[in-house]
Amino acid sequence: MTRTWVRELGGWVMAAAVALIVAASVASSARADLLFRDGDSLVVAILSRSLLAGDPLDWAMSSVLFLPETTVFTGLDVALPLDANALFAVSAVVNLLALYGALRLVAGRRREGRAPVAWSLVALAAFGALAMTETSASRDALELASLQLTTTYYSATVVGVVLAIGIARRMLDGARLVPMSLVLGAVALVSTLSNPLFAAWATVPLGAIVIAGSLRTVTRRRMLSILAALIGGTALGFAARIPFSAWIANTGAGYAQPDLWRESIGYYADLFAARLSTPLGVVGLLLDLALITLAVVQTVRVDDPGSRFVAVAAWVLPLLVAVGAIALGTHAARYLQPLAFAPVLALVAMPGTLRMPARLRRQAAAVASVILLVGGGLSIPRLSDAANAPDADAACVTDWVEASARTGAGQFWTVRLPKLHLDDPSQLVQVDHQLNGYAWLVNRTDFDAETVSFLVEDAQTGAWDLPIQAIPDEVVDCGRYRILDFGETELPLGPQRS
């Protein structure tokens, strides 16, 4: 028992080291824009600040409610005396640790001839290696593993899918059906409540695998229990979204446009070509293909139901999700994240002990542990430097806005970053180019202002079409930003739209 406890604790320590190395590498690349500055990436932090400030809550969310992500971020904000960027950095590490925990569940119980802790670490390292090959600043790039480090791009849903696979595996390995079915149903409920994409990533493909597996009489009862828990939990999750309907500005139904499947093929083909245009992109693709190949081989070789289920999931999830995304005519790389996280499940499908002398295994583990601990320790200041990198342009905007003691506005991609870092975020109202309130991933109480007296713009700002004729009294230069100060002139806000 003591050795098992020590081994599990050691696994978590090594996983933390891997997470630090990966987070520092991604945060030190151009991908830092996605972690710390991207308009979409900031919603959880803005929502968390609103909750902690006790603001009246009238939020306009997308189809995703970010409930687990916001809970974790808010908890970190309460527990740690850090600014927003530092919290983003800590969240990146926490997200990877959560993925390790889910992978450890998938790897199964420790028994003779198995090394689930070691292989869970290998799986996390493989996923981290994929993330470290992703270095662009684009949210639309086919760079999917690094999205797990953000607070916004479905990190909790990724963990939920892997947890569902792990619980199903434990059920097939002989765990008690009733309690595990309830746990699986709870995971499906919470995941679907927060993000209905769980149904497409987990319920449908895993349901297909389970139905195929139920043809075998020996596992039929357990397979059907898994199917019932997944479907029941997912259905309850959709029902639980009804009380949040006032917050959901877009149900997501409009994202499905099957008649655009040809355009979808072209879109994803262009992203694939762009990914292959860099050496690191080629490395990432080869690693992904190697993992998928391993999963297919294991599907044929393994002989127990739990291992086969995980091996099949490792290649079926990417296949069905990619086909489904194209069939629905989608145009968003983030929907394809199973292509990054599912293949690493091949490494924990059958986590057998390596065939080498025990002494040599211990020595190899000791060397690997020292390397990881040193690498993790050296990554802390690197990650800290990335999180604390000065942004003089954004600081110029926030300082000017706070000194003005007035309310201004800006378009979505422009205004999100300075809005987050203001002491009073309501001083910057989110609008479209016609000054209509843009109710998207924001608290609608901001629109109570009714008028604004300055506008913030940058290269992402569309040409203004103001409701009244007005010329700014002054244009304040803040590097990549400009502030159009209209002085005493009040610009009226138009009706809200999303």
Side-chain angles (χ1 to χ4, degrees):
M1 176 65 75
T2 301
R3 289 186 62 186
T4 299
W5 179 83
V6 171
R7 185 180 291 109
E8 295 293 345
L9 178 61
W12 281 99
V13 172
M14 293 302 108
V18 171
L20 285 166
I21 293 170
V22 174
S25 176
V26 174
S28 300
S29 72
R31 209 71 174 151
D33 280 352
L34 211 62
L35 294 181
F36 304 119
R37 292 177 284 277
D38 179 74
D40 272 348
S41 299
L42 308 181
V43 59
V44 167
I46 296 175
L47 174 55
S48 175
R49 283 194 60 185
S50 185
L51 288 168
L52 292 176
D55 295 337
L57 300 178
D58 184 18
W59 275 75
M61 303 295 287
S62 66
S63 58
V64 186
L65 296 174
F66 305 109
L67 299 180
E69 293 94 336
T70 303
T71 300
V72 171
F73 193 91
T74 303
L76 292 174
D77 200 359
V78 170
L80 303 175
L82 300 174
D83 63 14
N85 279 1
L87 289 171
F88 284 135
V90 174
S91 294
V93 175
V94 170
N95 288 349
L96 290 173
L97 281 173
L99 180 60
Y100 168 77
L103 289 169
R104 176 62 191 89
L105 184 68
V106 176
R109 297 183 182 279
R110 169 76 186 182
R111 59 179 184 265
E112 187 66 29
R114 295 288 183 94
V117 172
W119 281 107
S120 298
L121 284 170
V122 172
L124 181 67
F127 183 83
L130 282 173
M132 291 166 69
T133 67
E134 301 171 359
T135 58
S136 83
S138 174
R139 73 183 70 85
D140 297 319
L142 200 63
E143 300 184 352
L144 307 172
S146 55
L147 297 181
Q148 180 63 19
L149 280 70
T150 71
T151 57
T152 304
Y153 290 113
Y154 316 150
S155 55
T157 308
V158 170
V159 173
V161 173
V162 179
L163 280 176
I165 294 170
I167 297 167
R169 194 254 174 83
R170 296 297 179 102
M171 293 172 70
L172 292 172
D173 283 348
R176 295 172 60 189
L177 283 182
V178 173
M180 293 303 285
S181 294
L182 292 175
V183 174
L184 178 55
V187 169
L189 189 160
V190 173
S191 297
T192 306
L193 165 62
S194 182
N195 185 0
L197 198 59
F198 178 86
W201 284 4
T203 307
V204 172
L206 294 181
I209 296 171
V210 164
I211 291 171
S214 65
L215 298 177
R216 294 166 58 92
T217 306
V218 68
T219 58
R220 182 173 299 162
R221 180 166 172 262
R222 292 186 175 272
M223 286 290 189
L224 292 178
S225 296
I226 294 170
L227 183 62
L230 277 173
I231 294 176
T234 301
L236 290 174
F238 277 112
R241 290 173 60 82
I242 295 174
F244 292 90
S245 58
W247 277 30
I248 301 172
N250 187 338
T251 62
Y255 296 146
Q257 303 177 66
D259 55 317
L260 298 181
W261 66 270
R262 292 181 181 85
E263 290 82 351
S264 184
I265 291 176
Y267 174 80
Y268 290 122
D270 289 343
L271 294 184
F272 184 72
R275 179 79 171 125
L276 287 180
S277 66
T278 65
L280 285 177
V282 174
V283 171
L285 174 65
L286 291 176
L287 177 56
D288 221 18
L289 288 176
L291 291 170
I292 290 174
T293 301
L294 175 62
V296 173
V297 170
Q298 287 181 329
T299 300
V300 178
R301 289 185 175 179
V302 296
D303 54 4
D304 67 279
S307 297
R308 182 176 290 108
F309 178 83
V310 176
V312 172
W315 63 269
V316 167
L317 257 69
L319 176 63
L320 293 185
V321 168
V323 171
I326 291 171
L328 292 175
T330 62
H331 292 75
R334 62 186 179 275
Y335 297 154
L336 301 184
Q337 285 185 67
L339 275 69
F341 71 81
V344 302
L345 297 174
L347 296 168
V348 289
M350 188 68 179
T353 304
L354 294 178
R355 295 180 180 177
M356 62 174 64
R359 182 179 178 183
L360 186 58
R361 284 202 307 271
R362 288 193 294 270
Q363 291 174 342
V367 171
S369 298
V370 170
I371 293 173
L372 286 178
L373 289 174
V374 171
L378 293 175
S379 295
I380 294 175
R382 190 182 180 199
L383 181 58
S384 177
D385 288 345
N388 293 313
D391 189 341
D393 298 345
C396 173
V397 174
T398 56
D399 290 345
W400 189 94
V401 172
E402 288 175 349
S404 75
R406 291 185 280 135
T407 301
Q411 295 175 30
F412 180 87
W413 298 110
T414 301
V415 81
R416 302 286 286 182
L417 181 61
K419 182 178 180 66
L420 170 64
H421 292 283
L422 284 171
D423 289 337
D424 179 7
S426 65
Q427 277 190 271
L428 282 178
V429 181
Q430 190 171 287
V431 297
D432 65 11
H433 71 292
Q434 294 180 318
L435 233 58
N436 296 314
Y438 187 50
W440 185 250
L441 306 183
V442 73
N443 198 341
R444 297 184 184 98
T445 57
D446 286 356
F447 305 121
D448 293 343
E450 296 185 353
T451 62
V452 296
S453 61
F454 64 87
L455 301 175
V456 181
E457 62 180 20
D458 65 1
Q460 299 182 89
T461 300
W464 294 105
D465 180 13
L466 300 181
I468 63 172
Q469 291 290 334
I471 298 175
D473 294 348
E474 180 185 8
V475 177
V476 181
D477 182 10
C478 281
R480 70 180 185 273
Y481 295 101
R482 293 199 319 161
I483 301 173
L484 309 182
D485 182 10
F486 293 88
E488 298 297 321
T489 302
E490 295 290 336
L491 305 175
L493 297 180
Q496 295 178 34
R497 73 172 189 84
S498 61

